[in-house]
Amino acid sequence: MLLGPKGTGKTTMIFDAMQQCQAEGVAICDAHPDLEVFRLRLGKALNYEYNEDSQTGLFQRRDPREGGPALDIERAMNKLEKVALRYAKRTGKPLVLIINNVHFFKNDDGGRNMLLQLQQRGEAWAASGILTFVFSSDDFWPFFVMRKSASRMHVVSVYDLNHREALQASLRMRMNAHREVEEIDAFKEVVNIMGGRLSYLGKTCKAKEMMPTAKHLLQVEKAWLLSQIGLIQDHDDDVMDEQKWSSCSWLLLREFVKMRQQEEQEIKDAIAAGEKTIEDLENIGLPRIPYYKCRQIMTRPDFLEELDRANIIAIDINHDVTPDSLLILNAAREVVEEPDFDEVLEAVRDRVDEIESLHRTRELTFKDVKDGDRVWLSVDKGGTRLIESH
């Protein structure tokens, strides 16, 4: 299983490996939320034809074996097993079946059952050495589902490039794009904004002017982030759930920014004392927080999966949570470092508490009350003591 954020190069790495072996004995298929579409894609990748409906089927009884995409895929797997046995006997090598972007499956019973169905075949065929399954995912939940029954699954985590590797990759991309090679300081500034994410570096280095493009991408990322989890101080009760998610998300992002600022200050102090160099400051990694601590910071553990699906955070196999990229961290940092950010965040959280308190408040209405009538309302909080005394 290849696990890593979007744009780190998982699919490119798969295509490069297929090119090395001329895709001999390799089939690739992209996942899809609709399992009927995935069924057709898998059949096309395996060159397997299902018993599709024809005009004669309009005048016949429906085949009782037609039970949806799961049964059709199971029949395709049975046929693939026979082919894999003959291929492994003839060549001495296993076939390879790649299911790309399995996070596109819905995280419901249908999607999880499909993952389990494919994983069971992968475990059995890996034990016999006739076929190797390769899964790739941007999100964490498919790995969390599959690890429960995994005994032969090998997980490869794909991360961003470090600062030195990102500089070298940027120079090569710039030369391959036949653009004018700029000074090394310009590349360092771009890497400090973009980080080691290959997709972002590719867009920036292929542009005519790198720095304006990098700054534009940063502003676009900031605008997108605010469109997803922007804070609204005096929001209406209709958007309370959205603002609850936004405020909890900014609690986590603010903690990431604080960790980054603290680490930078420590290294700067060490540089002033002569203990570290500028290279140590450039090679700072993304801040990491354990999964269980993120649950405590956000006070809502169910929001982490939504943030991972939105590519705002990334979760690795060690259950460490990081910002999805350095670009998203820099965008969040610009928002957090605004002068009134803490006040706005606290105001939104207070507003959420106020609305929840109003929802828990009950209103008593007395009808047919005339002038001169009196209503006597008594609140006795000692009822339990009275019962216990008797």
Side-chain angles (χ1 to χ4, degrees):
M1 185 171 193
L2 303 179
L3 185 64
K6 181 188 70 173
T8 51
K10 300 183 298 298
T11 305
T12 304
M13 183 165 56
I14 291 173
F15 288 155
D16 288 344
M18 293 175 63
Q19 189 175 13
Q20 292 293 325
C21 63
Q22 300 298 315
E24 176 65 29
V26 182
I28 185 169
C29 174
D30 277 306
H32 193 274
D34 191 340
L35 295 182
E36 287 288 349
V37 176
F38 176 68
R39 176 184 75 94
L40 293 177
R41 288 182 177 180
L42 185 62
K44 182 176 182 297
L46 300 178
N47 195 21
Y48 178 79
E49 295 183 1
Y50 304 101
N51 293 325
E52 303 290 353
D53 293 335
S54 62
Q55 292 182 355
T56 57
L58 296 174
F59 308 100
Q60 297 175 355
R61 294 180 59 188
R62 188 174 179 83
D63 191 345
R65 295 180 302 171
E66 294 181 8
L71 283 180
D72 285 341
I73 290 174
E74 187 67 18
R75 296 190 191 101
M77 294 292 105
N78 292 335
K79 182 66 69 174
L80 178 60
E81 186 175 22
K82 297 178 182 179
V83 175
L85 283 169
R86 292 197 298 267
Y87 182 84
K89 184 177 179 181
R90 186 178 74 252
T91 64
K93 296 185 298 183
L95 291 172
V96 177
L97 178 58
I98 302 166
I99 309 296
N100 196 28
N101 296 325
V102 293
H103 60 277
F104 285 153
F105 287 137
K106 293 181 180 179
N107 191 7
D108 56 7
D109 291 340
R112 289 190 291 267
N113 290 339
M114 180 56 62
L115 273 178
L116 178 62
Q117 182 179 354
L118 297 173
Q119 184 185 11
Q120 287 175 334
R121 290 288 186 166
E123 292 281 344
W125 293 342
S128 57
I130 61 173
L131 189 141
T132 299
F133 258 107
V134 178
F135 298 94
S136 73
S137 175
D138 294 352
D139 297 342
F140 180 73
W141 75 264
F143 167 74
F144 186 76
V145 170
M146 297 174 68
R147 72 184 297 271
K148 297 178 182 178
S149 55
S151 57
R152 297 176 179 86
M153 183 173 68
H154 179 63
V155 183
V156 178
S157 294
V158 184
Y159 299 106
D160 290 341
L161 303 178
N162 58 34
H163 191 270
R164 182 179 58 82
E165 293 171 342
L167 277 178
Q168 295 175 353
S170 301
L171 286 167
R172 287 198 300 269
M173 290 178 183
R174 190 72 175 172
M175 294 177 63
N176 293 335
H178 303 289
R179 293 290 188 181
E180 182 182 355
V181 179
E182 301 184 17
E183 298 292 334
I184 190 65
D185 293 337
F187 286 97
K188 288 184 177 181
E189 291 181 10
V190 168
V191 172
N192 289 335
I193 297 175
M194 298 286 106
R197 184 63 53 88
L198 289 173
S199 59
Y200 296 152
L201 291 176
K203 293 177 182 178
T204 307
C205 296
K206 293 175 183 178
K208 185 176 181 180
E209 296 180 355
M210 293 195 302
M211 277 307 300
T213 303
K215 292 178 180 179
H216 173 69
L217 288 176
L218 178 60
Q219 295 305 314
V220 169
E221 195 76 7
K222 179 182 176 181
W224 175 83
L225 185 64
L226 291 175
S227 69
Q228 297 295 309
I229 56 174
L231 298 174
I232 306 174
Q233 282 184 267
D234 299 324
H235 60 272
D236 195 39
D237 57 348
D238 296 337
V239 295
M240 184 196 67
D241 293 335
E242 178 191 345
Q243 287 303 297
K244 188 185 298 184
W245 180 59
S246 299
S247 58
C248 292
S249 302
W250 280 111
L251 287 175
L252 181 60
L253 291 176
R254 183 176 65 177
E255 189 65 25
F256 282 135
V257 172
K258 287 182 178 178
M259 291 177 63
R260 179 76 173 194
Q261 292 172 339
Q262 182 180 359
E263 190 174 3
E264 286 181 353
Q265 188 60 43
E266 291 177 355
I267 294 180
K268 287 179 181 177
D269 295 341
I271 292 175
E275 298 174 358
K276 293 188 177 181
T277 62
I278 298 296
E279 293 183 359
D280 296 318
L281 184 62
E282 294 174 344
N283 291 323
I284 298 179
L286 291 173
R288 295 179 177 273
I289 301 177
Y291 192 92
Y292 73 94
K293 285 189 177 180
C294 292
R295 292 160 56 100
Q296 298 172 1
I297 293 171
M298 298 184 66
T299 67
R300 286 294 298 267
D302 52 328
F303 289 160
L304 281 171
E305 184 179 329
E306 292 295 327
L307 289 176
D308 185 25
R309 187 178 295 114
N311 296 322
I312 296 176
I313 64 171
I315 308 172
D316 62 10
I317 60 173
N318 300 318
H319 292 80
D320 287 334
V321 182
T322 64
D324 184 75
S325 64
L326 183 60
L327 186 64
I328 203 78
L329 178 61
N330 288 330
R333 185 170 182 172
E334 287 191 0
V335 178
V336 172
E337 289 179 347
E338 292 178 357
D340 59 343
F341 173 78
D342 292 334
E343 290 78 5
V344 172
L345 180 58
E346 291 303 320
V348 171
R349 292 179 60 80
D350 292 342
R351 177 62 176 164
V352 170
D353 294 339
E354 180 184 347
I355 295 175
E356 289 183 338
S357 177
L358 289 175
H359 287 174
R360 291 191 294 266
T361 303
R362 295 295 178 263
E363 180 179 335
L364 295 177
T365 303
F366 298 95
K367 294 184 178 180
D368 300 330
V369 180
K370 299 179 180 179
D371 293 339
D373 294 344
R374 291 187 301 174
V375 177
W376 183 268
L377 182 63
S378 176
V379 179
D380 185 6
K381 295 185 179 181
T384 56
R385 293 194 297 270
L386 182 62
I387 294 173
E388 291 173 356
S389 64
H390 287 290

